[in-house]
Amino acid sequence: MTTSSDVITPGREAAASSGGRDPSLPLLIAGIVLMVISIGLLFTGSAADPARPFLGYLVAVSFWASILVGMLFLVMVWWLFDAGWSVIIRRQLEHFLAAFPVIGVVMVPLVALGVAGSDAVAWTWMNLDAEVAGAGVTVAEDVLYLHKAPYLNTTFFVLRFILIIGVWVGLAHLLRQWSFRMDETGDHKYVHWSRRLSALGMFVLALVTTMASVDWFMSLNFHWFSTMFGVWFFSASMRAALSATVLVLFWQAARDDGNGLKGIVKPAHFYLMGCIMLAFTVFWAYISFSQYFLIYNANIPEETFWYNIREKNPDGSLNSWWWVSMVLMFLHFFVPFIYLLFYKCKFGARLKFIAVWILAIHLLDIYFNVLPQKLPSDANILGYEVRQFLPGLTDVTVFLGVGALVLWAFVRSTRRFRPIPVRDPRIHESLNCHE
Amino acid sequence: MDTSNTASSPAARKPYGMLALFDSAPAIYEAARTVREAGYSRWDALTPFPVHGLDGAMGLGRSRVPVFVFIGGVIGFFVGMWLAWWMGYYNYPLIVGGKPYFSPIFPFPIAYELTILLAAFGALGGMFVCNRLPMHNHPVFNYENFRSLTDDKFAVVIEAEDPLFDAEGTRTFLEELGPLEVTALYDEEDDA
């Protein structure tokens, strides 16, 4: 085995512990307080729509989970392709991957409520006695549910939940630890281990991420089915992760306390990140449009209703989701697409701007895919109303709470481990990155 | 191949430019910067492999190929949409699968594929136009050491058409850059 034998200063654990007050502690406290409040807010839904806080919680957790999932994919893709330019960026993502257990923990209240059969749960199929909105039957009598029951039952759901979180946390943990150990020992066997794990883990990760999107989002309207949905979540996650990575790189490049990347990140790194952002903007649009296009062309009621409730009120007028979908089409695809085509937009403040833009509308994309559901109602002949777009209090507290916990895990990792993988065999390629 | 450029009578050939030969990448990088700062505009650097940053040292701008790609893509998109509209709505109206005669949704794959196809044609054609291809011969091929330029030597060529070019002055200027040699290049006379 080859090793990097250069003399490198000893590990960072000692340096960090002597560095005085830990700046990540306030984030941890804020996160825990906000999450405790959020769990209380889960039971504050109205009588007409008891599950609305639950969905706000799910949307906000999913925003952060999608960023982490995209980052895990990115790290594994870079290992698979033996990428040289991205090595110093990979380390920033490895710091973020420390936050996966947070996602597992904050999802537990939702799963626990589901198992308890609470009315506040938006996975309506979990309660077999609940009325299916607009169908006039209970879940247990619903033909489409009965066909899906072998997959869509609470026991199997909980097992899959454990599997999903287990795979995410496990892959993230191994890739992190191997990379950090290479910093200390310089042993390049960890490169080979990481590449082998990525080759196999890519399939497992794709499988559990698809399961997560089907279980947590698609099952909210359990009559509906789309084979594109898992890929949609993947493509959206990649866009979110790339944008978040760009913002973190800017922050790290400006950081002056010795744990940052001042003078290390080159304009070429941002240019290349901008190029992948453009590629995934097109990919997201391709996937999102393909799903719409196939359902539009086939024109089967079991599928089209999912888009119908996102376009029109029962009386035929356009509802709030139509406007959201227009924002997604024009501001989440056309604007970033045309913008990122330009060379100069892949650097500096212009790239920072579009990264914030994409992240913000990514949140709207999750709202669009998660929030709309049929609610039982006697107000019209269809027997249901559609939940409209309106941000709620729980959305905000969970968004801030999970965000604080994710950033806590990230900041803590940046203080414990090196800002760049100093003994990675391709570190020089990355430090001397060229277009 | 007869490469005896300087041996045959120069009178039968028209001057093409002045070439300075270097033997390292840093040397060509410095030379390129000096030539650019001297204000020459019709000149080029010849290297056996891509030298990172040389385009910056030469003061080259971005390629204009993306413009061709973009125009090709836009034309492709609208041709695809127009094709679906003309056939399904205008020339032979026909209802297929309960869809309207024309809608921007169902012909999207056609417009999308044509966008990619014509953008790719734009990239290929734009590359030919920007590189002034096809070009079957180049006066630099007449240089006796041309083959070393594909191996381990580097060169700067200042063309005779450059407004600042002056046979003696340019030769002196290039010799001050510390090259291995400075050679005058000649073009074949146009027989046609």
Side-chain angles (χ1 to χ4, degrees), chain A residues 87-88 90-91 94 179 183 418-424 427:
Chain A
V87 165
I88 62 169
R90 196 191 70 221
R91 173 53 54 91
E94 286 164 357
S179 181
D183 284 1
R418 292 175 188 281
I420 59 170
V422 279
R423 278 167 163 168
D424 190 287
I427 186 71

Side-chain angles (χ1 to χ4, degrees), chain A residues 271 282 286 289 292-293 296-299 338 341 343 434-435, chain B residues 52-53 62 70 97 99-100 103-109 112:
Chain A
Y271 170 72
V282 179
Y286 180 84
F289 178 76
Y292 179 81
F293 178 73
Y296 162 93
N297 251 0
N299 209 5
I338 301 289
L341 281 179
Y343 178 75
H434 278 286
E435 283 169 29
Chain B
H52 283 308
R62 292 279 300 167
F70 186 76
K99 302 293 183 288
S103 147
I105 294 169
F106 66 76
F108 208 90
Y112 170 76

